[in-house]
Amino acid sequence: MDTVAIIEQQTLPTDKKLNLFERYLTVWVGLCMVAGVLLGKSAPGVIQALRDMEFGQDSHVNFPMAVLIWLMITPMMMKVDFRAVAKVGQRPQGLLVTLFINWVVKPFSMALLAWVFFRFMFSAWMTPAEADQYIAGSIILAAAPCTAMVFVWSYLTDGDPAYTLVQVSVNDLIMLVLFAPIVGFLVGGASSLTVPFAVLVYSVVGFIVIPLVLGVLIRQRFIRQRGKTWFEDTLLPRFAPVTIIALLVTLILIFAFQADNILGKPLHVLLIAIPILLQVYFNASLAYGLMKCLRVPYVVAAPGALIGASNFFELAVATAIALFGPESGAALATVVGVLVEVPVMLSVCHVCNRTRHWFPLKEVTA
């Protein structure tokens, strides 16, 4: 049978809403910032003790952070079904656009924007060393394509959940190979920092490979024992509170470690957000435009644009901490990405829903 793209009559989107945590993620992050700063200033001895809990001396791989990151990322990896990747050949255009944006355009455009803004435009408000840290953190953020939150954005734009799963699965596989060399190359080229490649590889193994293997093994075991429906509808929702709590506690610790930097440099948080915002909107627009030129169906185009714009901020935060420490400017830059993620992506969802008539809405088999 031939696959035929048809344009359906435009209909009003179903009224869909984020849950309480997802809708007010920026608020929760702001509250974590306040709580972390208060903790850092009121209990400096406790925070220093937590900061010193590393896997090895000067490794920057903080043990409490690592445990929290595993609790965040493993449930996300449990959602990934790599068998769906085999079906991508049926509609490759959307995936190819997403991969082009994520691995060719996005990290390099972020490196350029961060270099221009932090090295030149904002040089009056920060030292060269601070600029290097913010450049590094921005690059790490952009080099990690989004995973879990993409399913939320796809849902809000009536995207094809199966194709979204394929895009996420392929990106996760590519991250295993390209994340470390891209980060090392761009950070070394756009700043004066030297990236210890061994630590970067440890980050990939610790925060991608291990959670991915655990997620796949858990998924296979429970689907085999209880079935896919029970796994997706019953078990996965039980992990949501664990992921949320781990994320919030991680942010509290990060802001506690950075209490002095935040109180001393509140302007820097705003300055860091500017190139990140520009980069997000640029990549979303480019991906969406390419999808339109290639006449990709809307149910693929919308989540594809959102995947190209959003970030896997959990991995970015963990990597920045492993490379430069939890109190570093690089870690702060990745956390700013969390602050802007939800409001920015909701605005992109709004644009997609308002422009769905630009695209074929569905592909059917005739």
Side-chain angles (χ1 to χ4, degrees):
M1 294 185 181
D2 297 327
T3 301
V4 181
I6 64 170
I7 299 180
E8 295 185 340
Q9 183 179 359
Q10 175 70 9
T11 58
L12 292 175
T14 305
D15 183 21
K16 295 182 177 181
K17 297 181 179 180
L18 296 171
N19 63 38
L20 182 65
F21 171 75
E22 294 159 346
R23 177 173 291 274
Y24 298 106
L25 178 58
T26 301
V27 175
W28 308 137
V29 173
L31 292 175
C32 288
M33 176 185 290
V34 174
V37 170
L38 291 176
L39 181 62
K41 300 303 291 184
S42 62
V46 174
I47 297 304
Q48 185 60 47
L50 291 172
R51 184 185 291 135
D52 292 340
M53 296 174 64
E54 297 182 349
F55 281 104
Q57 187 175 6
D58 298 325
S59 70
H60 296 311
V61 181
N62 184 266
F63 180 76
M65 288 285 191
V67 173
L68 291 168
I69 295 296
W70 288 332
L71 290 175
M72 278 191 286
I73 296 179
T74 301
M76 301 176 192
M77 296 302 186
M78 289 166 58
K79 299 179 181 180
V80 176
D81 182 4
F82 292 109
R83 291 177 299 179
V85 176
K87 302 178 182 179
V88 72
Q90 299 172 6
R91 294 181 293 176
Q93 295 94 334
L95 177 62
L96 292 176
V97 169
T98 301
L99 295 179
F100 172 71
I101 297 297
N102 278 337
W103 298 107
V104 178
V105 176
K106 188 177 179 182
F108 293 90
S109 64
M110 185 72 262
L112 177 61
L113 284 171
W115 180 74
V116 170
F117 275 90
F118 298 132
R119 185 68 65 206
F120 298 102
M121 297 184 67
F122 297 157
S123 60
W125 297 287
M126 60 186 63
T127 67
E130 290 170 336
D132 282 338
Q133 286 286 322
Y134 300 152
I135 290 170
S138 300
I139 291 171
I140 293 169
L141 184 69
C146 190
T147 54
M149 289 298 289
V150 165
F151 294 104
V152 176
W153 313 136
S154 179
Y155 169 76
L156 290 177
T157 55
D158 295 312
D160 183 337
Y163 202 90
T164 301
L165 178 61
V166 169
Q167 291 174 307
V168 169
S169 301
V170 174
N171 270 306
D172 284 342
L173 290 174
I174 292 176
M175 267 195 291
L176 297 175
V177 179
L178 292 186
F179 179 75
I182 285 179
V183 169
F185 173 74
L186 290 178
V187 171
S191 72
S192 61
L193 297 174
T194 300
V195 177
F197 195 76
V199 176
L200 194 54
V201 172
Y202 296 153
S203 297
V204 172
V205 173
F207 302 121
I208 300 180
V209 176
I210 291 177
L212 181 61
V213 171
L214 288 175
V216 170
L217 292 177
I218 293 171
R219 179 184 179 89
Q220 290 178 344
R221 177 179 178 181
F222 281 104
I223 288 180
R224 185 168 55 249
Q225 292 181 347
R226 305 294 295 272
K228 186 175 181 180
T229 300
W230 178 88
F231 176 81
E232 294 181 346
D233 297 343
T234 302
L235 183 63
L236 281 181
R238 294 177 182 173
F239 281 91
V242 176
T243 300
I244 293 169
I245 293 171
L247 171 60
L248 296 181
V249 175
T250 300
L251 295 176
I252 290 173
L253 285 182
I254 290 172
F255 286 118
F257 293 157
Q258 300 223 13
D260 292 334
N261 285 339
I262 293 171
L263 291 178
K265 309 166 189 175
L267 176 63
H268 286 196
V269 174
L270 176 62
L271 295 180
I272 292 169
I274 293 174
I276 292 177
L277 286 170
L278 291 175
Q279 186 254 2
V280 168
Y281 284 124
F282 168 74
N283 286 300
S285 301
L286 180 59
Y288 207 49
L290 290 174
M291 298 281 192
K292 185 177 187 301
C293 292
L294 295 173
R295 294 189 57 78
V296 174
Y298 171 79
V299 294
V300 172
L306 292 158
I307 293 172
S310 53
N311 302 297
F312 190 176
F313 55 78
E314 297 89 349
L315 172 63
V317 170
T319 301
I321 290 172
L323 288 173
F324 304 109
E327 71 284 352
S328 66
L332 179 61
T334 58
V335 173
V336 173
V338 186
L339 282 168
V340 303
E341 175 89 3
V342 169
V344 170
M345 297 314 299
L346 285 176
S347 69
V348 176
C349 288
H350 178 72
V351 171
C352 290
N353 282 324
R354 293 291 296 271
T355 58
R356 62 177 63 205
H357 60 281
W358 292 357
F359 297 84
L361 296 186
K362 186 186 293 186
E363 284 190 350
V364 296
T365 302

